[in-house]
Amino acid sequence: MAGWSLSPTLFADQIEEDLTDMQRQIVIELVREVLTNAPVDKGGYMASNIVTIGTPSYEISEALDLTGEATFQAAVSAISTLKPFSTVYLQNNQPYAELLEFGGYEGPTEKVTSAGYSRMSPMGVYGISFIAVTEKWI
């Protein structure tokens, strides 16, 4: 006899829960990677890595975080209410964030490479973090 031996509705809730747990794990890993790859001068960039659910944030944080611990805890707290099929945003709105990611800073400083990248993050932050996490989950 063709068909299901059990109705799919019996395990649909479990699948949604498993997917949400997986999404939460991926977000946590991505935040860890971003914080590991983030350059630290005064801690403004580190503290400005913001996680939101459903809508992006346009906030520019004035907070400082030299270790990334407070930023990580804020991210974990933000995804504690994650619901199935939600969109999660991880972003940094500091005005200089694009220069850290894509290079191009022009100015006399020993803190940047000749291509304008931070010497602490010469390959950017978000792009290499995304690649590292993607490689783990694919």
Side-chain angles (χ1 to χ4, degrees), residues 82-98:
L82 189 64
K83 304 278 189 255
F85 311 108
S86 298
T87 300
V88 177
Y89 295 88
L90 170 57
Q91 63 192 82
N92 192 309
N93 296 325
Q94 285 294 339
Y96 54 87
E98 284 190 55

Side-chain angles (χ1 to χ4, degrees), residues 5-92:
S5 60
L6 294 173
S7 170
T9 59
L10 296 175
F11 55 88
D13 289 342
Q14 182 63 49
I15 291 171
E16 283 185 358
E17 185 179 320
D18 291 348
L19 285 171
T20 304
D21 287 342
M22 178 186 243
Q23 184 179 16
R24 190 176 286 115
Q25 290 173 18
I26 291 169
V27 171
I28 286 172
E29 280 191 45
L30 185 56
V31 170
R32 279 192 179 125
E33 283 290 328
V34 165
L35 297 177
T36 298
N37 293 318
V40 180
D41 185 12
K42 296 177 183 152
Y45 180 83
M46 182 77 75
S48 295
N49 293 290
I50 303 167
V51 173
T52 57
I53 299 172
T55 57
S57 169
Y58 298 102
E59 171 188 351
I60 297 176
S61 176
E62 298 294 325
L64 300 177
D65 184 2
L66 292 172
T67 66
E69 186 58 33
T71 303
F72 180 76
Q73 292 306 322
V76 169
S77 177
I79 61 170
S80 67
T81 61
L82 189 64
K83 304 278 189 255
F85 311 108
S86 298
T87 300
V88 177
Y89 295 88
L90 170 57
Q91 63 192 82
N92 192 309

